Every structure is written in structure tokens, then in C-alpha cells.
Amino acid sequence: NPQQGNHYGKKALEIALNDSVKAKIVSSMANNYLMISNFKEALSHYEEALQIYKVIGDIESEAKVTGNIGFYYFYLGDYGKSMDNQYKALKIFESLDNKLGQANTLLALSSLFKEQKHFEEAMEHSNAALKLFEDLSPEDAEAIEIGTIRAVLCDNLGGLFIFMCRSEDAEKQL
């Protein structure tokens, strides 16, 4: 229950021991607000978490929250701002050589392009994400269900081929 989660999140903020813990709580609350379509509170909490991560120098978490802000704008239908934030997150993940972060962000960008019916760009981003998922270290691959993600990506690619009227390529992916 997102509302109950935010109730306890507010209590947790009162006893948070450091800024890193506080930022994680605030970011989690933002996700909860997004789930219940309280967009104003979601953005406010994402921005607060982002500022904390910048101050404490947690660059990876900064990238994750920037990507979440991208999802926020996606839900509002503001694809331009969504893309801007996803590309910012991607650039940070690339600077950290974080393959998992890059792959997830490329997947989000693929969804953005697909939503706008830019199927070639969606396919390019899906293929790039698939390559990164396949190249993950065993530790990273264990942290996620890589087989499930690869299956979803192949299904997405098959769907993109269908949208693009390339049935022979779609059959290869599906």
C-alpha cells in the first residue's frame, strides 16, 4: 500500500541516521506517490532525493533518481522531458561504466521511442540494451533474472518488427 508506505516513510525520516538513508527514504516515497498518481508530491520528493545525492556525491543513486524523474515525465506524457532525464541518467551510468544501469536506461528509452511510434530508434535502443544485458558479469546477472529480461527484450524486438511490417525478422525474435 503506497499511502501506508509514505506514512511510515515520514516516520522513518524523523529518525534517519544520515543523508544517504534520508535520500533513499525520500526516493522511495516519491515512487509511492507516483504509484498513486500524486504527481506533484512525486516530483517534489524526487527532486529532494536528487539534491541530497548530489550533495553527498552518490553519483549512481543520482543517476537512478534522474531516470525515475524520466519515468515521472513519461507517465505525464511529456516525452521530451522524459527523454532528457533518461539521457542524463544514461550519461552518468556510462561514466561509471555501470552496464546494468545503462541497459535499464536504454530499455526505458526504447519504450519512449516505441510510445512515440519511432520504431527504428526503439529497436536500436532495445538491441543496445540486450547486448549490455548479455555482457553483464556473473554477479550482476545473478542480481537480476537475466533470462526473463532477455525474453522480454526479444519479445519487444519482435513486436517492433511487426509494427515495422518486417514479419520475417519478427519471427526470428519471437
Side-chain angles (χ1 to χ4, degrees):
N1 179 329
Q3 290 174 324
Q4 190 173 14
N6 281 343
H7 169 75
Y8 288 111
K10 289 175 185 173
K11 290 183 182 248
L13 281 174
E14 295 173 10
I15 58 172
L17 299 176
N18 59 51
D19 286 340
S20 180
V21 171
K22 182 179 178 184
K24 285 180 184 8
I25 294 167
V26 171
S27 183
S28 179
M29 290 175 69
N31 292 336
N32 289 337
Y33 282 121
L34 192 59
M35 282 193 279
I36 59 173
S37 300
N38 187 337
F39 298 115
K40 182 178 176 184
E41 284 297 319
L43 183 59
S44 173
H45 281 72
Y46 281 136
E47 288 175 341
E48 182 180 350
L50 185 60
Q51 284 311 113
I52 295 169
Y53 286 132
K54 285 181 178 184
V55 167
I56 65 175
D58 185 343
I59 299 167
E60 183 173 353
S61 294
E62 181 183 333
K64 289 176 183 178
V65 170
T66 300
N68 285 345
I69 291 171
F71 282 119
Y72 163 84
Y73 284 113
F74 179 83
Y75 293 130
L76 292 182
D78 190 336
Y79 301 134
K81 284 186 180 178
S82 181
M83 256 188 221
D84 288 345
N85 280 281
Q86 292 298 347
Y87 277 119
K88 283 180 195 174
L90 181 61
K91 186 175 180 180
I92 296 169
F93 284 127
E94 288 172 342
S95 75
L96 297 172
D97 198 33
N98 180 325
K99 303 287 188 218
L100 183 57
Q102 290 174 55
N104 284 324
T105 306
L106 286 165
L107 193 55
L109 284 162
S110 176
S111 295
L112 273 163
F113 283 116
K114 184 178 176 186
E115 187 72 18
Q116 298 174 84
K117 301 192 182 341
H118 298 175
F119 301 123
E120 288 287 341
E121 292 92 343
M123 189 176 313
E124 289 172 21
H125 286 76
S126 287
N127 279 323
L130 181 59
K131 172 95 173 87
L132 285 166
F133 279 123
E134 290 175 338
D135 292 344
L136 286 176
S137 70
E139 298 82 31
D140 285 335
E142 287 176 16
I144 59 172
E145 292 192 25
I146 194 69
T148 301
I149 290 174
R150 288 175 63 191
V152 168
L153 269 167
C154 287
D155 183 55
N156 285 351
L157 286 167
L160 287 169
F161 283 126
I162 290 168
F163 279 124
M164 297 167 63
C165 300
R166 291 169 51 184
S167 59
E168 65 280 348
D169 290 328
E171 288 176 10
K172 290 177 191 173
Q173 289 298 321
L174 299 173

